[in-house]
Amino acid sequence: MTVGMDQADRHGHQPKGHSMQSASPRGRREKGAVPKISKGDFAPKDTENSPAVVSIESFEYTPAYFARWKVSASDWMLLLVISMAAVVVRCYKLSNPANVVFDEVHFGKFAGKYLNSTYFFDLHPPLAKMMFAAVGRLAGYDGVFDFKSIGLDYIAANVPYVAMRLMPALLGAATVPATYATVRACGYAMDTAALAALLVCVENGLVTQSRLILLDSPLVFFTVLTLLCWSMFWTVQDRPFSRVWWAWLLATGLTMGCAASCKWVAFFLIPTIGLSTLHDLWDKIADQSLSPARWSMHFGARAIALICVPVAVYIGWFYVHFAVLSTTGGDAAALSPEFQVSLDGAKQMVTDRDVYYGSEIRMRSTNARSGFLHSHLHPWQHDKGSGQQQVTIYSYADANNVWVVEPAYNRTVDTSQGLVPVRNGDVLRLRHKTTGRFLHSHDKRPAMSNDKNKFELSGYGFANFSGDSNDNFRVDILEGDPDIQGSATELQSIYSRFRLVHTNLHCMVFNSRKKLPKWAFEQIEVNCMRNCLPRMSTWHVEHAFHPNTTAGAPVRKASYRPLGMLGKIWEYNKLMADSNQNLIGDHPFAARPQHWPWLRRGTAYWGGPGRLIYQLGNPLIWWGSLAALAVFATVRMVLFLLDKRRIRLQLGGQRNQYISGAGFFALAWTCHYVPFFLMGRELFTHHYFPALWMAIIVMAFTVDLVTCRLPRLLRSAVYVAVAAAVLHAFHTFSYITYARTWTKDACLRAKWLPTWDLDCEHAIGGLKGTVPPVAEPVFVDSKPENGVDQAVPKAADQVSNDPKYVQPEFINLPLDNGSGNKMIQPQLVQALPADNDDQAHNEL
């Protein structure tokens, strides 16, 4: 990134307190270096007295300029006014509505979990949630209110919700003066900085998001702060390795780590800052005044501040997260047993270590964490199936998960000398203890796939039938515990990781992670798959017992080892990645990235009598910022083509400033927007907010460029007109931002686009305009840990009477649209209903 000279210098006057030194990324020189100046270094500005086009032959190189921003009294006064206005806009009627709104269902509940030290899982990093918990504790929240459904009354439950909403509101307000400071650090005048701050201040979508207990306001705040610090770092490039230079560089890394600790969207700051850094370091190579040792110091400083510091901050917040959430909870079942036993109150699994022929074992899918190999007295009912007994994966420790290890078909083992251990490469059979049938595979397609490399797994056998060769599986031990002797050669509980390979079909017992239909009790499909990767075909024995073990004889035991802190952080982040990848569905307010910039639709958050909250941005700002990006791309392309013709437009003397400043934020916008096209997960308009802020900066720079040659009075009139237009739009849509009472006619008039699906029936005069919505609970079958079937309410899509007001982000209970293969979160397999023959136990 390069920053330009102050706009007050557009007529050739050097602003007081500003230095004007060669400071382009292309050959930026350190203080004390003698620059190589050509006659083109101070090419005439494109003003009324200078030509609009300058031949490229008139100079060798035209650098951009930067000006160290010295905050004036006018700046301080304007910052004060801007900050006060931002606080008023964000905090106006913050208590309205006094009900649980949108994702407050989740993040309010998570704050309570922190206060009670009860473990939970969420697919977002912990910092923003811990900030809500800290504010809640200071405000007197005891963590008892569970935020279980949209529409619950805060006041009746005595929840300090206003204080908890105040934190994101103040962070949202802080982004407004931070925007002003960022634009000023880029060398622009106060009017352009004030315009950018105003656009951020009255952007309805950002205002809506910052007034609720949601993660996006902290995310946007730390993202803005990161780019502000990076901009300020560029203003001190002539003072390398000074205290202020180090301060802004380290602050960039610190805030980047905090942003990533709120939501993973902030990871897009890595290419944004990284590309700018690489460009700078590449240009420094061409600077002959820099020795290789000095260049290496620049590289090392940036590596420490922009890589090591953010990683340390990110890991540090997870240390705090796990230090606080020390007690086991229901969500812990989503994680590995090693993770679970590291929590206070978790049950430690202790079992026989050695697996013999004749042992009764319980096998767990190692990497999917979705449960145990299971069978029950129900046949496969799909058209492709055999009608034999179902074999599935079930999440609870259950009597129907127990299998007996027996020799292969038509083979025996000599037990005259004692028990015979199972060794790597042994061919064996597994007999289901409850039903007596053998684990079996054959040339039949499984329930959830037509892949020719996948085969059905079933339980097969009947009275007086000894089985057949399709019951035979080979044990391939992939790895053992390096600290446990023999675990890589002999099958041992917990310590040996192995695959079961069907000897006839040469397929492996494979966890597909797909949810089966109701006739299979919505348990998880397991099949036999050829050429599969080890990740979903790896198993381990969690429990082993041999009935012929001599009473009183010493039996070697095995148990899970608790994970260390770094191991917990690594596993938790892998589960976060899996959860994000599996967050698929058909939510009515989901929106794909191609619809975001032109604001095709918003998101319904809450509805009440005569009022509603519908997250919709200020359309003039969204469309204006999109247009500004298009203008920048066009200008950049035209300049590139003209440069090839050896013609250089000066753009009113603003070429270097505009190309460097707008170019950097256009790059930042690209890095924060384009990657979403590669994501298959469900997405929503609020994912665009960080990119929107960057587009707003480009919009302010573009307005400055367009008006740079206008007379001062006319330029001011354009700025006032832009401000008046966005203020009018802000007021128009303030009804759905602040949940203000409005009429159905006013609501209908506010539908500027037919795709804006505002529910005007909640307005006065609508069907729901006078009748308070009743949040009726929606029940699904679920099974708690105690094994008792009961109906429990959904926590995410229970809202008002309007079925459109559902939870878009992630669901607390498993939902499915009928395809049978959409799991919202891996841990939710724990809520699958038991079948009629299962007897659940509290053994996890």
Side-chain angles (χ1 to χ4, degrees):
M1 174 185 178
T2 315
V3 289
M5 60 187 297
D6 196 292
Q7 289 232 341
D9 191 40
R10 69 175 72 255
H11 297 294
H13 303 294
Q14 177 66 21
K16 183 179 179 180
H18 288 63
S19 71
M20 189 172 74
Q21 301 178 21
S22 177
S24 169
R26 302 182 185 277
R28 182 185 302 275
R29 302 182 186 279
E30 298 186 11
K31 187 174 182 180
V34 179
K36 180 184 293 184
I37 301 176
S38 70
K39 61 182 178 181
D41 285 343
F42 297 97
K45 298 286 192 296
D46 182 16
T47 63
E48 295 177 358
N49 299 319
S50 62
V53 179
V54 179
S55 170
I56 200 168
E57 296 177 351
S58 65
F59 57 89
E60 297 175 7
Y61 173 57
T62 303
Y65 301 100
F66 80 104
R68 189 177 308 138
W69 177 36
K70 183 177 181 180
V71 186
S72 65
S74 298
D75 280 314
W76 285 118
M77 183 61 66
L78 198 51
L79 277 170
L80 178 61
V81 172
I82 288 172
S83 300
M84 292 174 62
V87 170
V88 171
V89 169
R90 259 56 176 186
C91 298
Y92 173 71
K93 291 189 175 180
L94 196 59
S95 61
N96 182 35
N99 307 101
V100 177
V101 177
F102 192 56
D103 269 0
E104 290 183 335
V105 162
H106 299 291
F107 304 124
K109 174 183 65 179
F110 294 154
K113 295 283 189 179
Y114 279 113
L115 298 181
N116 296 322
S117 299
T118 303
Y119 176 83
F120 68 89
F121 173 79
D122 179 41
L123 48 74
H124 299 299
L127 176 56
K129 297 187 290 288
M130 290 193 294
M131 293 169 67
F132 284 118
V135 172
R137 170 61 64 86
L138 293 174
Y141 175 47
D142 57 8
V144 174
F145 185 74
D146 58 6
F147 295 82
K148 67 180 180 180
S149 62
I150 295 175
L152 288 181
D153 192 334
Y154 283 131
I155 297 177
N158 196 29
V159 178
Y161 72 102
V162 176
M164 296 177 71
R165 287 178 178 174
L166 181 62
M167 187 269 288
L170 293 178
L171 294 181
T175 62
V176 178
T179 301
Y180 176 92
T182 301
V183 175
R184 289 289 282 150
C186 290
Y188 282 84
M190 288 190 293
D191 56 356
T192 303
L195 176 64
L198 175 66
L199 295 175
V200 174
C201 182
V202 298
E203 204 298 293
N204 296 73
L206 293 175
V207 174
T208 301
Q209 209 74 2
S210 64
R211 291 169 48 81
L212 302 170
I213 306 173
L214 305 175
L215 305 185
D216 297 275
S217 185
L219 166 68
V220 173
F221 169 75
F222 284 116
T223 299
V224 171
L225 213 58
T226 299
L227 297 181
L228 168 61
C229 293
W230 188 241
S231 300
M232 294 299 297
F233 171 70
W234 276 95
T235 68
V236 293
Q237 286 295 289
D238 62 332
R239 300 170 61 187
F241 306 107
S242 64
R243 289 183 180 180
V244 66
W245 187 91
W246 273 110
W248 287 120
L249 183 60
L250 291 172
T252 301
L254 176 65
T255 52
M256 184 161 56
C258 289
S261 300
C262 292
K263 293 183 77 172
W264 275 3
V265 175
F267 281 166
F268 299 142
L269 286 168
I270 296 174
T272 302
I273 303 297
L275 290 173
S276 176
T277 301
L278 290 175
H279 186 272
D280 176 39
L281 291 174
W282 178 254
D283 285 333
K284 277 182 166 52
I285 292 178
D287 189 348
Q288 297 181 4
S289 66
L290 279 181
S291 65
R294 189 74 167 173
W295 187 92
S296 299
M297 292 174 62
H298 278 281
F299 177 86
R302 287 159 175 78
I304 292 171
L306 303 179
I307 299 177
C308 299
V309 170
V311 170
V313 170
Y314 184 80
I315 293 175
W317 287 122
F318 269 101
Y319 265 85
V320 177
H321 169 80
F322 288 121
V324 174
L325 299 181
S326 57
T327 306
T328 189
D331 287 354
L335 296 154
S336 68
E338 291 86 352
F339 191 109
Q340 295 178 45
V341 299
S342 68
L343 300 173
D344 295 341
K347 183 177 180 180
Q348 175 64 273
M349 171 62 65
V350 179
T351 185
D352 291 358
R353 172 171 154 181
D354 300 298
V355 178
Y356 303 102
Y357 285 95
S359 291
E360 300 173 1
I361 65 173
R362 187 168 65 233
M363 290 170 44
R364 176 186 281 271
S365 179
T366 300
N367 296 314
R369 299 176 293 273
S370 53
F372 305 91
L373 189 67
H374 175 92
S375 189
H376 43 232
L377 271 174
H378 296 279
W380 286 118
Q381 299 179 18
H382 57 101
D383 295 337
K384 303 166 291 182
S386 62
Q388 297 175 8
Q389 182 171 298
Q390 295 175 12
V391 175
T392 65
I393 292 178
Y394 185 59
S395 301
Y396 295 93
D398 183 283
N400 279 337
N401 301 338
V402 179
W403 301 82
V404 180
V405 181
E406 294 194 356
Y409 174 67
N410 282 340
R411 296 185 188 178
T412 59
V413 294
D414 183 8
T415 59
S416 60
Q417 302 299 318
L419 301 179
V420 178
V422 177
R423 293 183 173 85
N424 183 33
D426 280 5
V427 177
L428 50 74
R429 293 185 296 176
L430 294 177
R431 177 173 54 83
H432 191 240
K433 182 179 180 182
T434 304
T435 63
R437 294 184 169 94
F438 288 102
L439 182 67
H440 182 91
S441 189
H442 43 217
D443 193 9
K444 295 284 186 180
R445 299 283 81 78
M448 308 304 296
S449 175
N450 291 315
D451 190 335
K452 65 180 181 180
N453 289 313
K454 295 181 179 179
F455 305 92
E456 179 188 81
L457 273 180
S458 64
Y460 182 60
F462 44 87
N464 300 319
F465 177 69
S466 60
D468 60 34
S469 61
N470 278 335
D471 303 336
N472 289 346
F473 291 84
R474 185 179 70 249
V475 176
D476 284 352
I477 299 178
L478 301 177
E479 63 178 353
D481 191 318
D483 296 328
I484 304 299
Q485 184 177 3
S487 59
T489 57
E490 294 185 354
L491 187 61
Q492 297 183 0
S493 299
I494 295 177
Y495 303 132
S496 300
R497 300 293 190 262
F498 64 93
R499 300 209 288 183
L500 289 177
V501 183
H502 194 265
T503 56
N504 289 344
L505 297 174
H506 306 290
C507 56
M508 278 70 72
V509 178
F510 177 78
N511 179 357
S512 74
R513 296 188 294 175
K514 296 179 180 178
K515 187 166 64 173
L516 290 162
K518 291 185 181 297
W519 50 259
F521 309 100
E522 297 184 327
Q523 295 176 6
I524 303 303
E525 183 199 41
V526 60
N527 57 49
C528 197
M529 181 178 177
R530 289 175 178 160
N531 305 319
C532 60
L533 297 175
R535 184 168 182 261
M536 288 301 134
S537 59
T538 300
W539 302 80
H540 67 272
V541 175
E542 183 172 277
H543 173 78
F545 169 73
H546 198 290
N548 294 336
T549 301
T550 304
V555 178
R556 296 190 297 182
K557 297 293 183 179
S559 61
Y560 289 111
R561 295 176 178 175
L563 283 178
M565 185 63 73
L566 289 178
K568 291 166 69 174
I569 293 173
W570 175 250
E571 180 175 330
Y572 192 94
N573 277 264
K574 287 198 299 182
L575 184 57
M576 288 166 57
D578 287 342
S579 299
N580 273 286
Q581 183 179 358
N582 293 326
L583 189 61
I584 55 179
D586 54 356
H587 191 279
F589 286 97
R592 294 305 299 171
Q594 62 268 26
H595 300 147
W596 299 344
W598 60 281
L599 198 61
R600 181 179 182 270
R601 67 185 314 202
T603 307
Y605 278 9
W606 176 86
R611 302 175 298 157
L612 71 152
I613 297 179
Y614 184 88
Q615 183 269 303
L616 185 73
N618 187 316
L620 297 186
I621 295 177
W622 285 59
W623 299 337
S625 61
L626 179 61
L629 290 164
V631 168
F632 170 78
T634 302
V635 169
R636 193 70 186 88
M637 180 59 67
V638 169
L639 292 178
F640 174 78
L641 295 176
L642 290 178
D643 286 349
K644 288 295 184 181
R645 301 283 296 178
R646 303 182 68 80
I647 299 173
R648 187 175 179 90
L649 292 179
Q650 294 301 305
L651 299 181
Q654 302 302 303
R655 172 180 174 130
N656 292 323
Q657 182 177 9
Y658 179 70
I659 294 302
S660 59
F664 173 76
F665 285 99
L667 169 67
W669 176 86
T670 303
C671 292
H672 283 76
Y673 174 59
V674 173
F676 284 107
F677 285 93
L678 306 177
M679 298 182 186
R681 59 154 288 179
E682 205 165 41
L683 297 170
F684 299 88
T685 306
H686 63 256
H687 289 109
Y688 184 65
F689 284 155
L692 173 65
W693 180 84
M694 298 155 197
I696 289 174
I697 300 297
V698 177
M699 180 180 175
F701 290 173
T702 304
V703 172
D704 176 88
L705 177 70
V706 171
T707 61
C708 68
R709 297 191 66 193
L710 297 178
R712 186 179 299 276
L713 185 60
L714 184 55
R715 169 186 164 88
S716 298
V718 173
Y719 275 59
V720 171
V722 173
V726 298
L727 285 169
H728 172 73
F730 172 75
H731 177 265
T732 299
F733 297 100
S734 64
Y735 293 91
I736 57 177
T737 299
Y738 296 110
R740 297 171 59 194
T741 301
W742 65 345
T743 65
K744 183 177 180 179
D745 289 341
C747 177
L748 293 173
R749 287 195 303 271
K751 287 189 175 183
W752 292 6
L753 293 180
T755 54
W756 292 354
D757 42 4
L758 296 168
D759 184 11
C760 293
E761 295 301 328
H762 274 285
I764 299 298
L767 296 177
K768 307 170 188 175
T770 57
V771 180
V774 179
E776 295 292 341
V778 181
F779 292 92
V780 296
D781 291 333
S782 179
K783 184 166 185 176
E785 292 185 5
N786 61 11
V788 180
D789 290 334
Q790 63 182 12
V792 297
K794 291 182 183 178
D797 59 350
Q798 173 188 343
V799 288
S800 68
N801 291 339
D802 192 334
K804 292 191 298 182
Y805 288 86
V806 293
Q807 177 61 30
E809 188 62 48
F810 47 85
I811 310 302
N812 280 344
L813 291 175
L815 298 178
D816 186 74
N817 64 357
S819 65
N821 64 351
K822 295 189 177 183
M823 294 173 55
I824 301 300
Q825 292 186 15
Q827 75 272 22
L828 301 182
V829 179
Q830 302 301 322
L832 295 176
D835 59 69
N836 296 336
D837 297 320
D838 293 330
Q839 301 174 359
H841 304 285
N842 294 320
E843 299 180 38
L844 287 177

